[in-house]
Amino acid sequence: MTAIPATVRATAAPSTRRTLVSTGIGNAAEWYDWAIYATFAPYFSKQLFNPADPTSAILSTLAIFAVGFVARPFGGVVFGWVGDRFGRKNAMTLTVAMAAVGSLLIGVAPTFAAVGAFASLLLLVARLIQGLAHGGELPSSQTYLAEMAPREKRGFWATLIYFSGTLGNMAGALLGAVLAFSLPKAEMAAWGWRVPFILGALMGLYGLVMRARMPETEAFEELKTEKQGFGALMKEVVACRKQAFQVIGMTVGLTVIYYVWAIVAPTYAATSLKLDPGQALWSGFAANVVFLVALPFWGKLSDRIGRKPVLIIGAVGCAVLHFPMTWLLHDSVWQLFVSMSVMLVFIAAGASIAPAVYAELFPAKVRTAGVGIPYALAVAAFGGTAPYLQTLFTDVVKQPWMFNAYAVVLILVSIVVVLGLPETKGKDLRA
């Protein structure tokens, strides 16, 4: 069962706790899926692709990883419509079920030696299913959570999205470290890599049962006379294009800087800066604990002083400190821990309340699709390409400052967009 911030848990009634856990478990499962795919790709690439060409096998595996990002915007469209037409709860239940199916397919996939190219095709199908599910998971869950939260605590409740997601990511990385330490390489290659995917499927099954028991939100229930078909909903999304561009503008800086410091930094330190991979992993793990602590602080602060001040503080902090923290990071794990921790404290300001802000920008009848489509496009175009661009400018072009400048420019774009947002703290989401 996924954890929730202790201060939220302590003040929540039993039914509310079930709602929080049900929401968090699916979100954690999504992030867990992405973490284990990246962690175990070197093992299953030789099992599901032609092992005679290991380089081609790993490149093909990573290409299919990227396919998951490409599928996310389509998931945002499909499940955005499902969430706004048939209910937030139904969309969330379907996304966690599909993600579990994708994990199970990978976990039980036959090898290339047994069935040839069909093994590779099955991996592609599984990632497409997961990409669609993940593209619908975040907008559905964050819309549900925002509508269920007391308006005076919505910023605080919104921290569950990144809190649970980070726990899922950390669990995937930790499981990778434990299995790599416990099993010989031959056994890891033969069957050990299947374990995390089967566990992911079981986690999704648990989330499916939990979500099937959740109530629907009051905001959606009041839309019974306004539920609309797919074409009509897309027209409503177009009508809300200003808010959609605001979601993209808010997201571009946050998604790039988050992927750089929360996800990629340990790998970058190990591959480009030649730190010990194991020590880099544990340093990154510790820094993400700092991130978890910071999230509820910013969420509660936004409920007191407003969303815009917190978003601006976080973004300005990231823009000002990004270059100094990259200069600090050279050749030791303490440098990695300090630089990651400092950046993640400020990244947490935006990450903690972005789900609440997204939901507060849109009317109820188009809230899931209105958030899901532009958000998925921004993450696919900017977050999904961040690791590639960072490696390209560092190891090929030999000008890492160019990528860092690119990241800071995107943060500045987000600051400008936030300055133009209305203050939405305490907004009634039933309208």
Side-chain angles (χ1 to χ4, degrees):
M1 183 172 68
T2 188
I4 60 178
T7 43
V8 174
R9 187 173 63 247
T11 58
S15 60
T16 301
R17 287 198 296 269
R18 285 194 294 271
T19 295
L20 291 169
V21 171
S22 302
T23 303
I25 187 68
N27 195 48
E30 174 197 343
W31 291 43
Y32 171 88
D33 287 341
W34 291 88
I36 60 173
Y37 190 101
T39 299
F40 292 93
Y43 297 102
F44 67 78
S45 63
K46 297 175 185 177
Q47 296 290 312
L48 304 184
F49 291 90
N50 189 351
D53 189 351
T55 302
S56 175
I58 190 63
L59 288 175
S60 299
T61 303
L62 293 177
I64 289 180
F65 179 71
V67 167
F69 276 99
V70 175
R72 288 177 73 128
F74 297 98
V77 173
V78 172
F79 289 102
W81 174 66
V82 171
D84 288 328
R85 178 65 178 84
F86 300 101
R88 324 313 194 197
K89 166 191 168 179
N90 290 329
M92 292 169 64
T93 303
L94 188 55
T95 59
V96 76
M98 287 183 61
V101 169
S103 287
L104 183 62
L105 286 176
I106 298 175
V108 302
T111 64
F112 186 91
V115 297
F118 179 74
S120 310
L121 177 62
L122 190 61
L123 178 64
L124 175 63
V125 170
R127 287 304 292 171
L128 283 172
I129 292 173
Q130 287 186 323
L132 289 170
H134 297 163
E137 166 61 31
L138 189 63
S140 301
S141 61
Q142 68 185 14
T143 297
Y144 181 87
L145 189 65
E147 291 181 349
M148 291 294 288
R151 67 171 70 182
E152 70 277 5
K153 297 182 179 179
R154 190 180 298 131
F156 186 35
W157 279 44
T159 63
L160 176 64
I161 297 298
Y162 270 84
F163 194 95
S164 60
T166 301
L167 286 179
N169 183 57
M170 293 169 68
L174 183 60
L175 181 58
V178 170
L179 287 175
F181 177 78
S182 304
L183 296 177
K185 288 185 178 180
E187 292 188 27
M188 274 291 293
W191 60 268
W193 63 269
R194 297 182 184 274
V195 172
F197 291 102
I198 294 173
L199 289 177
L202 293 175
M203 186 190 306
L205 178 62
Y206 175 73
L208 173 64
V209 173
M210 293 289 291
R211 288 185 169 184
R213 299 173 177 175
M214 295 190 307
E216 186 52 82
T217 71
E218 182 181 343
F220 178 79
E221 292 291 358
E222 293 183 0
L223 289 175
K224 288 182 178 178
T225 60
E226 298 186 55
K227 296 174 186 177
Q228 49 200 330
F230 182 80
L233 180 64
M234 290 303 103
K235 289 181 180 179
E236 291 286 353
V237 172
V238 173
C240 293
R241 56 188 174 274
K242 177 181 178 181
Q243 294 96 315
F245 281 112
Q246 287 172 330
V247 169
I248 292 173
M250 278 180 56
T251 303
V252 292
L254 176 62
T255 189
V256 169
I257 207 69
Y258 176 81
Y259 271 91
V260 167
W261 286 106
I263 305 297
V264 181
T267 302
Y268 170 79
T271 57
S272 298
L273 302 181
K274 310 306 179 185
L275 269 67
D276 176 79
Q279 293 183 350
L281 174 65
W282 286 112
S283 184
F285 192 90
N288 270 281
V289 173
V290 175
F291 181 65
L292 291 177
V293 173
L295 285 168
F297 165 78
W298 291 113
K300 293 190 74 170
L301 185 63
S302 79
D303 287 327
R304 293 176 62 89
I305 68 173
R307 313 291 190 233
K308 289 179 64 173
V310 170
L311 290 173
I312 292 170
I313 291 169
V316 170
C318 288
V320 170
L321 292 170
H322 180 67
F323 270 99
M325 291 302 104
T326 58
W327 295 333
L328 171 65
L329 179 55
H330 283 295
D331 55 5
S332 74
V333 291
W334 76 262
Q335 293 170 350
L336 176 62
F337 171 72
V338 171
S339 59
M340 282 187 67
S341 297
V342 170
M343 291 302 297
L344 285 173
V345 166
F346 286 95
I347 292 169
S352 63
I353 62 171
V357 178
Y358 293 148
E360 290 165 345
L361 287 174
F362 289 88
K365 62 183 178 181
V366 72
R367 186 166 290 137
T368 313
V371 173
I373 297 171
Y375 177 82
L377 287 172
V379 170
F382 294 92
T385 58
Y388 174 82
L389 291 175
Q390 185 180 35
T391 302
L392 175 68
F393 284 111
T394 301
D395 296 339
V396 180
V397 181
K398 305 295 183 182
Q399 299 292 335
W401 68 268
M402 295 177 67
F403 175 79
N404 292 324
Y406 162 78
V408 171
V409 168
L410 290 180
I411 297 170
L412 295 177
V413 169
S414 293
I415 292 174
V416 172
V417 171
V418 170
L419 288 172
L421 293 178
E423 178 54 65
T424 54
K425 176 175 75 76
K427 181 180 178 180
D428 186 352
L429 295 186
R430 292 174 296 179

